Amino acid sequence: MSAFRARDAASDPGHGSRRRAWAELLAGRVKRQKSGPEGEQKVRESAVRLLRSHLNLGDLVLEVEGPPHKQLCLSRLIDDDGPVAHTDLSSSLIGSALRDQAAQLGVPAAVLSSQVVASGLVRVCEADAGPPPKVLLTPDQRKKLSSLFEIAQKLLAQSMFSRLSFCQELRKVQNSLLLEAVWRLHVQNIVSLQELLESHADSQAMVAWLSRDLRLLCEQTEAPCQHADVARAMLADFVQMLVLRGFQKNVDGRGTVEPEWMSQVAVAVLDRMLASALEALAAGIQEGSIAHKAVSCWFGVFSGHVYRSIISTESPKRFFCHTLTQILTHKPVLKVSDAVQMQREWSFARTPPLLSGLYRRLFVILSPEELVGHLQEVLETQEVNWQHVLSCVSTLVICLPDAQQLVNGWVSRLLAHAFESGDLDSMVLAFLVARQAALEGPAAFPSYAAWFQATFGSTRGFHSCSKKALVFLFKFLSDLVPFEGPRYLQVHILHPPLVPSKYRALLTDYVALARTRLADLKVSIENMGLYEDLSSTGDVTEPHCQTSQDVEKAITVFEHTGKIPAAVLEASIFRRSYYLSHFLPALLTPRELPRVPDSRAALIESLRRADKIPPSLYSTYRQACSTVGEKKPEDVASRRELEPSCTEEPLGLLTTALQELRASVTDPTQHDALLAQMAVISERLHSALGLGEDDSDIEGAPVQLSVRAPKLQPWEQRVVDLLLTSFCQNLMAASSVAPPDRQGPWAAHFVRTLCRRRLLPALLSRLCQLLRHQGPSLSASHVVGLAALAVHLGESRSALPEVHVGPPTPARGLPVPELFDILLPCRTQESSALCLKFCTAAISYSLCKFSSQSRDILYSCLSPGLIKKFQFLVFRWFSETRDPPSWEDPASSPWRPLCLPSVDWQRAALCLWKQRTLRELLKQEGLHLTYRDWLQLELEIQPEVDSLSDTERFVHGLPPVRFLPALTSPGFLPCQEGKKEPVFWPADPQDPFLAHP
């Protein structure tokens, strides 16, 4: 009792010489109470309450009779090496001391024990208190707590520990506790986290304390320290407990229902953590900062491994759905008009990676149909944050398989409901979702121009059922006009909805309103470029920027057709403002005229003869050209040095994005990460091309290609080489891990990203340079990579325009797969060798990539001409192929020999030839090498024998006499030694692409 007497004396500095006993103190109180047994009991209870409320547990000493004059002190048990060091003291002795003390105080021993342990816990937590705030223990504190918890566990075993009293004591000193200490109570089975929460009467104080400490825990989890694993374990346990308490209806098998307030506390803590993370992202936290690491740590709790110990998936699923709802409805301050104007800034590539990563984690537990249904439900019932909604749509389009069909179905249902019921909200949502999906490029969704035309440009549109539907559509479009960007207005004007003639006034009124809005924005329909891309959703290009592209396009078309392009003639009549003010001045830029007129000069002369250039303007142009020709060469050189070059920064960003793709490519399980990275590449590609907008439409006018002398701008070649090099390297890296059929969809998405309207001509021109003119310089990895690229171009053939190639090839348009027949001639030994390698790689890749799919895909991906050339060359080069085939081991893959560091092309070709799948494929009509095909290829190899008589024999299906020995000569080579094909494009051994095998 010395601790109580000392406290009493210290509290009364002016005490006299005589100390009053406890009996006297109580006697005075008793005199004022009513006599009788009930009064005595009340006095006793009041005294006990008074003592307990003023008990200084920090100074309490357990006084027990031990060996010679020794005292057992709790602080010694904690500060020393624990109870084990006191071998002379047993747990029964500790319990005996507490029982004696409780008897003297008149309180239960379990209550006193709980108070003593709680006091010791607080003492340990406060031992290293001070700024900055902490939630983790130091090694010394962990050591002391280990001793204290051993004492508590022994008291529990002796039924001398009250969990309820212990929780009540901790509630009083809640702000002094370290979160790790609370967690260790849970781990050591002394007091569970649930019991601590249930004992707390003030739920708001509990929510504030737990939220604050969890934020600190997230910050310290990501900080470099030796106990990060402890912090991660703590966070996982707390999240599991909160998810179970907040989102599981039945806690145990007895069907015990979780108290409502308990669920509210758990949900409130989780909501507060999410809200603080979203607010931090909205504030623009820097990568690598403490706040960024804390947000990343909290978003990491949505990974699947955190919930492995939870048997049922219903609780995590409810939690994920609730979280998605909270994200979509977080601070809904933006209006629909804001979304219409700003949604371009919310594409996937511009969404903070932490937020898009959180979306992807939430998508994992929901099926695509459930996800769309949940989005629809939230949008119908609550006010939403449009930035989060549309960034979520972008992530859905990028990261979910078959997202295009999913979104198309959703948009169609929204439009159907909107026109049936006149629901404006559904109409707004349909347009916003379609536009947002179109922002992600052709690999994810059609362009807005293509979608709008497909939806409203025919009699099958939702608007064509009645006048009421037409009025509803045009009223909606008219209401959007004040907020629309110029690109969308141009789409609506140039690709308007199909309207019956009797309702033409509705369209006319809208077009007039849209033109007025464009005039206010200082954008003129008349000044649009000849080949301007309406599928883009970016800013409208300045007329002088678009004009230079129109001029180059017109010159390219003129080179291949020899005629003035139809777009130029139409502009000279119907769009004279743009033609006279922009196009002609750009075309007639003064320069030093070449001695032999080039394509530009020929186009100008053709326009002059057609009276499409005013005489005064042409005369001024000729005079200016004469003045330029008189300048000194050094002046011209210095002027060229001042010409702007391709910006290095966008090219560097594109290079970085391509390098980051490699990790996803080599791991087929990272499907979502791969698609996300492709979206970033798509975003950075248009910046590297210098377009300033998302040039996404791959449909349109045919591509003009000069086979004899393909041309690219230097900046175009740099961008295309980066993409081709990345594709080849990624293909070889992925093939070292898995065969093509188990590499995921990365290659198809990569190629679709290349098929942009303004990139595709440059890509095909570069392929022409590499395959037709520099083929012998290509390494094995180049050939294999470009062959796989050709296969995926064939896969997308339905969406690609035709290619018009220049002489000496046919003037008709060719599908892209058939272009490779022209790029791979068999005239010389070197070109035949390249053709055989390319065909072997392309056929092997397609057979392996689409082994489990229908043969129709093989027919579309491969040109029949390449398959026939392969048959022709293996017959000519390898005599063993003329014998009856011996089937290859079914387990043997024709792709395997192509993945070796040093490719044995003969082995690879023979391995492919022996494949049963190929032999069955060759039986199909149009793919088997006929005698006429053989003779035609012989004519290509030996043009000197193409005499009149042989031609006549060929027309009648008879073999030329001179070719007959070649059919049976084993190992006959396609050309004489030393004979070379005429090269119209110089093969450059220093070509940048060739430097990256």
Side-chain angles (χ1 to χ4, degrees):
M1 297 299 292
S2 59
F4 295 96
R5 289 193 293 270
R7 176 178 174 85
D8 183 65
S11 63
D12 186 13
H15 64 282
S17 58
R18 188 179 71 88
R19 293 180 180 175
R20 290 188 295 173
W22 284 104
E24 295 179 7
L25 291 173
L26 294 177
R29 178 76 174 172
V30 171
K31 290 178 182 178
R32 292 192 292 269
Q33 301 292 333
K34 294 181 179 180
S35 58
E38 294 181 0
E40 293 179 359
Q41 181 64 25
K42 289 181 180 180
V43 170
R44 188 178 299 275
E45 291 176 357
S46 299
V48 170
R49 286 196 299 269
L50 177 64
L51 291 174
R52 290 183 60 187
S53 62
H54 291 82
L55 192 63
N56 189 342
L57 295 176
D59 296 332
L60 179 63
V61 177
L62 302 179
E63 300 172 353
V64 297
E65 297 294 334
H69 310 293
K70 285 189 177 181
Q71 291 184 338
L72 178 61
C73 180
L74 183 61
S75 61
R76 288 182 56 193
L77 290 175
I78 297 174
D79 295 336
D80 293 340
D81 294 331
V84 178
H86 301 271
T87 56
D88 55 342
L89 301 174
S90 64
S91 58
S92 61
L93 189 60
I94 298 172
S96 175
L98 287 171
R99 287 192 192 92
D100 292 344
Q101 189 67 57
Q104 294 179 25
L105 293 175
V107 296
V111 172
L112 181 61
S113 300
S114 304
Q115 294 173 346
V116 170
V117 175
S119 175
L121 179 62
V122 172
R123 184 185 304 158
V124 172
C125 291
E126 291 179 341
D128 194 34
K134 302 173 183 178
V135 291
L136 297 178
L137 299 167
T138 64
D140 185 57
Q141 287 175 314
R142 290 193 184 98
K143 183 178 178 181
K144 293 179 179 180
L145 273 190
S146 177
S147 301
L148 179 62
F149 290 164
E150 287 187 36
I151 296 174
Q153 287 172 336
K154 290 178 180 179
L155 293 175
L156 273 170
Q158 299 173 17
S159 300
M160 289 186 58
F161 188 85
S162 170
R163 286 189 169 91
L164 178 60
S165 298
F166 184 70
C167 292
Q168 291 173 347
E169 293 298 328
L170 292 185
R171 183 183 65 192
K172 300 175 184 177
V173 292
Q174 174 180 286
N175 294 325
S176 300
L177 298 177
L178 293 180
L179 195 63
E180 183 181 347
V182 176
W183 172 71
R184 290 188 179 275
L185 287 171
H186 172 80
V187 173
Q188 298 289 337
N189 293 321
I190 297 174
V191 174
S192 68
L193 297 176
Q194 180 180 354
E195 288 177 289
L196 288 172
L197 291 180
E198 290 175 347
S199 66
H200 210 293
D202 189 349
S203 59
Q204 293 189 359
M206 174 60 74
V207 169
W209 170 74
L210 197 51
S211 302
R212 181 201 65 197
D213 279 17
L214 285 177
R215 281 195 295 271
L216 292 174
L217 179 62
C218 289
E219 294 177 2
Q220 296 182 26
T221 299
E222 295 297 313
C225 68
Q226 58 181 341
H227 300 293
D229 54 340
V230 174
R232 283 189 287 269
M234 288 174 56
L235 188 61
D237 284 349
F238 274 106
V239 170
Q240 288 177 12
M241 183 271 297
L242 292 172
V243 170
L244 282 173
R245 299 288 80 76
F247 298 95
Q248 184 167 322
K249 294 181 179 179
N250 294 330
V251 177
D252 51 34
R254 296 173 299 175
T256 304
V257 179
E258 194 68 40
E260 183 178 355
W261 69 268
M262 182 67 188
S263 299
Q264 292 174 352
V265 168
V267 171
V269 172
L270 294 170
D271 287 351
R272 186 171 294 195
M273 291 296 296
L274 177 65
S276 64
L278 294 176
E279 289 167 6
L281 286 180
I285 53 177
Q286 294 184 351
E287 186 173 358
S289 64
I290 295 178
H292 186 276
K293 292 179 179 179
V295 173
S296 176
C297 177
W298 180 251
F299 286 174
V301 306
F302 293 91
S303 301
H305 66 85
V306 176
Y307 307 97
R308 288 174 184 169
S309 61
I310 300 178
I311 299 176
S312 173
T313 60
E314 290 304 314
S315 295
K317 190 171 184 178
R318 293 191 194 99
F319 172 47
F320 280 32
C321 288
H322 175 82
T323 300
L324 183 57
T325 302
Q326 294 301 110
I327 296 172
L328 299 179
T329 58
H330 177 71
K331 292 189 175 179
V333 295
L334 296 172
K335 301 177 182 178
V336 172
S337 57
D338 299 321
V340 172
Q341 293 175 304
M342 301 169 62
Q343 69 177 124
R344 199 180 86 198
E345 301 300 322
W346 303 333
S347 65
F348 179 86
R350 301 186 184 186
T351 300
L354 288 177
L355 183 57
S356 59
L358 175 59
Y359 287 139
R360 294 203 301 271
R361 292 187 180 100
L362 296 176
F363 293 171
V364 168
I365 204 167
L366 300 172
S367 68
E369 293 75 16
E370 288 176 329
L371 179 59
V372 171
H374 188 75
L375 283 171
Q376 179 70 29
E377 180 183 356
V378 173
L379 289 164
E380 288 178 350
T381 58
Q382 302 187 50
E383 292 292 326
V384 295
N385 181 321
W386 283 108
Q387 180 178 359
H388 289 171
V389 169
L390 296 181
S391 62
C392 180
V393 169
S394 282
T395 307
L396 182 152
V397 168
I398 290 296
C399 298
L400 286 188
D402 302 325
Q404 181 172 332
Q405 292 81 358
L406 198 69
V407 173
N408 262 328
W410 183 20
V411 171
S412 297
R413 292 192 298 273
L414 288 171
L415 288 175
H417 180 261
F419 280 99
E420 288 175 4
S421 59
D423 184 9
L424 191 60
D425 291 340
S426 295
M427 192 75 166
V428 169
L429 182 57
F431 269 73
L432 286 176
V433 170
R435 291 181 179 185
Q436 193 69 27
L439 288 174
E440 304 307 329
F445 199 79
S447 66
Y448 177 72
W451 174 82
F452 188 82
Q453 195 169 12
T455 305
F456 302 107
S458 68
T459 56
R460 294 175 297 177
F462 297 99
H463 66 294
S464 59
C465 57
S466 65
K467 179 182 179 181
K468 179 181 178 182
L470 277 173
V471 172
F472 178 69
L473 173 63
F474 282 108
K475 184 179 185 307
F476 169 75
L477 294 177
S478 300
D479 291 341
L480 279 183
V481 166
F483 313 103
E484 288 278 43
R487 185 65 70 195
Y488 293 121
L489 293 173
Q490 289 175 342
V491 170
H492 297 164
I493 293 173
L494 298 179
H495 300 292
L498 183 63
V499 177
S501 56
K502 59 181 178 179
Y503 301 130
R504 196 73 180 174
L506 294 172
L507 176 61
T508 304
D509 292 343
Y510 171 75
V511 170
L513 181 63
R515 284 180 175 271
T516 303
R517 171 63 176 167
L518 287 175
D520 294 340
L521 297 173
K522 299 181 180 180
V523 176
S524 174
I525 290 288
E526 289 75 14
N527 285 339
M528 283 181 60
L530 305 183
Y531 304 98
E532 190 162 348
D533 181 18
L534 288 178
S535 67
S536 164
T537 54
D539 297 328
V540 173
T541 309
E542 292 295 328
H544 65 274
C545 299
Q546 180 63 41
T547 303
S548 61
Q549 298 171 6
D550 288 344
V551 169
E552 294 298 329
K553 182 72 173 179
I555 293 173
T556 302
V557 174
F558 181 79
E559 282 180 353
H560 291 81
T561 62
K563 300 178 181 179
I564 300 174
V568 176
L569 292 176
E570 292 174 0
S572 67
I573 300 172
F574 301 107
R575 300 176 57 195
R576 289 189 62 81
S577 173
Y578 175 78
Y579 178 77
L580 295 175
S581 302
H582 298 285
F583 180 79
L584 282 184
L587 178 64
L588 301 177
T589 301
R591 62 179 182 136
E592 184 178 358
L593 295 176
R595 293 182 180 179
V596 178
D598 58 5
S599 301
R600 180 186 285 262
L603 175 60
I604 293 173
E605 185 61 23
S606 298
L607 289 171
R608 186 190 66 80
R609 289 197 302 267
D611 293 330
K612 297 301 180 182
I613 301 179
S616 59
L617 185 60
Y618 181 77
S619 176
T620 303
Y621 163 71
R622 296 292 296 188
Q623 290 179 354
C625 289
S626 301
T627 304
V628 171
E630 296 173 356
K631 291 184 177 182
K632 295 181 180 180
E634 56 268 20
D635 295 337
V636 177
S638 62
R639 178 171 57 86
R640 287 176 179 172
E641 291 177 358
L642 296 176
E643 291 179 354
S645 60
C646 181
T647 307
E648 295 295 333
E649 183 179 358
L651 204 62
L653 293 175
L654 176 61
T655 303
T656 302
L658 290 171
Q659 292 172 349
E660 292 173 351
L661 179 66
R662 183 74 54 84
S664 301
V665 165
T666 54
D667 186 358
T669 62
Q670 293 187 2
H671 176 77
D672 54 346
L674 183 146
L675 295 178
Q677 189 61 28
M678 286 306 308
V680 175
I681 291 173
S682 178
E683 173 77 13
R684 294 180 178 176
L685 180 57
H686 80 268
S687 298
L689 290 172
L691 302 177
E693 56 188 51
D694 188 5
D695 178 42
S696 58
D697 194 4
I698 56 179
E699 300 178 356
V703 175
Q704 305 293 333
L705 178 64
S706 173
V707 175
R708 286 186 180 274
K711 296 180 181 178
L712 286 89
Q713 297 293 335
W715 57 271
E716 287 181 326
Q717 180 168 330
R718 294 179 66 185
V719 173
V720 172
D721 279 358
L722 266 178
L723 296 168
L724 291 180
T725 300
S726 176
F727 183 86
C728 293
Q729 292 176 343
N730 288 340
L731 180 72
M732 300 310 294
S735 298
S736 66
V737 177
D741 56 334
R742 296 206 300 269
Q743 291 178 13
W746 77 267
H749 284 284
F750 195 105
V751 172
R752 281 201 289 269
T753 301
L754 300 182
C755 295
R756 296 166 178 264
R757 172 181 289 183
R758 293 181 186 170
L759 184 60
L760 185 61
L763 173 67
L764 297 180
S765 297
R766 186 60 173 144
L767 289 175
C768 182
Q769 289 180 1
L770 294 172
L771 295 176
R772 189 175 178 89
H773 302 298
Q774 297 182 193
S777 303
L778 295 174
S779 67
S781 60
H782 287 145
V783 174
V784 173
L786 296 180
L789 177 72
V791 170
H792 286 291
L793 284 173
E795 186 184 9
S796 303
R797 67 184 300 168
S798 61
L800 296 177
E802 289 186 338
V803 182
H804 288 183
V805 293
T809 54
R812 65 184 178 87
L814 297 173
V816 170
E818 294 184 17
L819 172 66
F820 290 94
D821 295 353
I822 299 172
L823 301 185
L824 295 164
C826 298
R827 295 182 180 177
T828 68
Q829 182 174 348
E830 287 182 340
S831 62
S832 295
L834 174 66
C835 183
L836 178 61
K837 294 176 183 179
F838 191 92
C839 293
T840 301
I843 298 173
S844 299
Y845 180 82
S846 59
L847 290 180
C848 187
K849 181 70 176 177
F850 307 111
S851 59
S852 61
Q853 302 183 34
S854 67
R855 292 181 180 175
D856 294 338
I857 296 181
L858 290 175
Y859 301 154
S860 64
C861 293
L862 294 172
S863 164
L866 286 183
I867 297 178
K868 292 178 179 180
K869 282 185 177 182
F870 172 75
Q871 299 173 70
F872 173 77
L873 291 173
V874 294
F875 276 131
R876 270 193 159 274
W877 284 54
F878 312 119
S879 58
E880 57 264 42
T881 60
R882 302 167 198 164
D883 300 327
S886 58
W887 302 117
E888 186 79 3
D889 180 4
S892 175
S893 170
W895 181 250
R896 192 173 303 161
L898 300 177
C899 302
L900 300 176
S902 179
V903 180
D904 185 344
W905 288 103
Q906 178 175 349
R907 179 192 169 196
L910 292 176
C911 179
L912 174 61
W913 179 252
K914 295 176 183 179
Q915 289 294 312
R916 187 184 299 273
T917 307
L918 175 66
R919 308 298 296 179
E920 294 175 353
L921 182 67
L922 297 182
K923 295 177 183 178
Q924 303 298 319
E925 183 178 357
L927 298 181
H928 184 66
L929 182 67
T930 64
Y931 197 64
R932 184 180 294 272
D933 297 327
W934 181 282
L935 296 178
Q936 187 174 356
L937 291 169
E938 287 285 358
L939 285 174
E940 181 180 341
I941 291 176
Q942 298 185 12
E944 68 273 10
V945 301
D946 189 13
S947 62
L948 180 62
S949 59
D950 287 339
T951 303
E952 292 175 350
R953 295 174 65 83
F954 176 76
V955 170
H956 293 285
L958 301 174
V961 177
R962 301 181 190 183
F963 290 172
L964 293 178
L967 300 180
T968 57
S969 175
F972 185 85
L973 294 181
C975 70
Q976 298 175 0
E977 190 66 31
K979 183 179 178 182
K980 298 291 183 180
E981 176 187 5
V983 176
F984 300 97
W985 185 270
D988 182 7
Q990 304 300 322
D991 189 295
F993 177 75
L994 304 178
H996 299 280

